[in-house]
């Protein structure tokens, strides 16, 4: 495990900037410089090269945050990373890299992970949502899984939700089920 310190982070920013060819000022990547460079580019090839610098930075940042996620010990920092990492993700495969965090003991970490997996429509999302509803002990995570079914519009889960509601005695979860069932049973135009 790599221990990330302020110095390591500072060096990472500098290395990313050098590797990506970014203009560095006060230890930050100067996006204004890149924007001006893009605006002043004379050819489509020059503009494409500048766009590639941005995407290269996105990929390096995503990999850095995934590495940091593995080594970070503080749950609140890990949850914050998971809550913001989806901004850098661009594919379902990127999102699947965080799937192991659905088994974390921290509720906020599981919530952030599930939010990202739902947003990117993880390939086995329906099974994951059902397992979460049946087994997660955190009401917020369970409610998110229920609401996600409604947002996805998957009418096939209506019997599952109705059956779960009969077995469940938690009022808040049952309200979430009712709202989701109402949404799923609405006729579509």
């Amino acid at each position: 495990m790599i221990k990330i310190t302020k110095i390591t982070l500072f060096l990472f920013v500098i290395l990313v900037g050098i590797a990506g060819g970014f203009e560095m000022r006060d230890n930050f990547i100067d996006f204004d410089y890149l924007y001006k460079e893009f605006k002043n580019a004379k050819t489509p090839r020059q503009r494409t090269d500048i766009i590639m610098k941005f995407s290269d930075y996105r990929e390096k940042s995503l990999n850095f945050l995934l590495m940091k996620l593995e080594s970070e010990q503080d749950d609140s920092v890990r949850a914050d990373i998971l809550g913001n990492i989806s901004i850098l993700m661009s594919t379902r495969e990127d999102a699947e890299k965080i799937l192991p965090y659905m088994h974390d003991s921290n509720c906020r970490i599981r919530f952030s992970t599930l939010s990202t997996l739902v947003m990117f429509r993880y390939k086995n999302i329906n099974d994951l949502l059902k397992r979460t509803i049946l087994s997660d002990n955190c009401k917020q995570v369970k409610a998110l899984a229920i609401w996600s079914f409604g947002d996805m519009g998957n009418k096939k889960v209506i019997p599952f939700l109705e059956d779960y509601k009969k077995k469940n005695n938690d009022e808040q979860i049952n309200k979430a089920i009712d709202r989701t069932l109402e949404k799923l049973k609405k006729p579509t135009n």
Side-chain angles (χ1 to χ4, degrees):
M1 248 191 234
I2 299 171
K3 181 73 176 166
I4 303 297
T5 64
K6 287 181 181 177
I7 292 173
T8 309
L9 184 59
F10 171 75
L11 290 173
F12 171 77
V13 169
I14 289 174
L15 287 174
V16 167
I18 292 168
F22 292 104
E23 172 78 6
M24 298 295 288
R25 191 181 319 142
D26 298 327
N27 303 327
F28 293 102
I29 295 167
D30 189 347
F31 289 102
D32 289 336
Y33 171 81
L34 279 178
Y35 176 74
K36 287 175 190 169
E37 196 175 294
F38 182 83
K39 191 175 166 184
N40 296 328
K42 303 282 186 236
T43 67
R45 178 68 191 158
Q46 289 173 330
R47 287 190 296 276
T48 299
D49 288 345
I50 295 164
I51 289 169
M52 295 309 292
K53 289 178 184 178
F54 277 110
S55 33
D56 186 44
Y57 176 69
R58 184 206 60 81
E59 187 66 31
K60 288 176 182 178
S61 298
L62 176 61
N63 290 335
F64 169 75
L65 288 175
L66 289 168
M67 179 187 71
K68 179 67 175 151
L69 190 57
E70 288 179 24
S71 64
E72 180 58 51
Q73 299 300 312
D74 185 277
D75 283 343
S76 66
V77 173
R78 290 171 59 225
D80 288 339
I81 291 170
L82 281 164
N84 291 292
I85 203 168
S86 63
I87 295 166
L88 296 170
M89 293 181 170
S90 60
T91 65
R92 181 183 289 175
E93 290 74 25
D94 283 345
E96 289 175 2
K97 293 174 184 174
I98 65 168
L99 185 60
Y101 294 96
M102 278 305 297
H103 305 291
D104 197 277
S105 61
N106 184 287
C107 177
R108 192 168 156 224
I109 289 172
R110 292 191 314 276
F111 185 92
S112 294
T113 302
L114 185 59
S115 297
T116 299
L117 292 170
V118 167
M119 180 177 17
F120 282 94
R121 296 295 193 261
Y122 164 63
K123 64 183 174 189
N124 298 321
I125 194 66
N126 289 331
D127 292 335
L128 177 64
L129 292 174
K130 285 180 182 179
R131 280 194 315 272
T132 301
I133 291 167
L134 292 172
S135 64
D136 205 288
N137 60 357
C138 177
K139 285 183 186 183
Q140 292 88 350
V141 175
K142 199 174 279 212
L144 175 62
I146 293 166
W147 294 326
S148 295
F149 275 133
D151 290 343
M152 291 171 22
N154 185 351
K155 295 182 184 298
K156 293 178 183 177
V157 299
I158 291 174
F160 168 78
L161 291 173
E162 289 173 336
D163 187 50
Y164 182 76
K165 184 180 176 195
K166 291 175 189 172
K167 298 174 187 173
N168 181 51
N169 59 3
D170 185 296
E171 189 177 323
Q172 290 175 321
I173 296 298
N174 284 340
K175 284 181 181 179
I177 292 172
D178 288 339
R179 279 182 267 166
T180 298
L181 288 171
E182 183 180 307
K183 189 173 190 176
L184 289 172
K185 290 179 179 180
K186 272 187 184 174
T188 55
N189 294 337

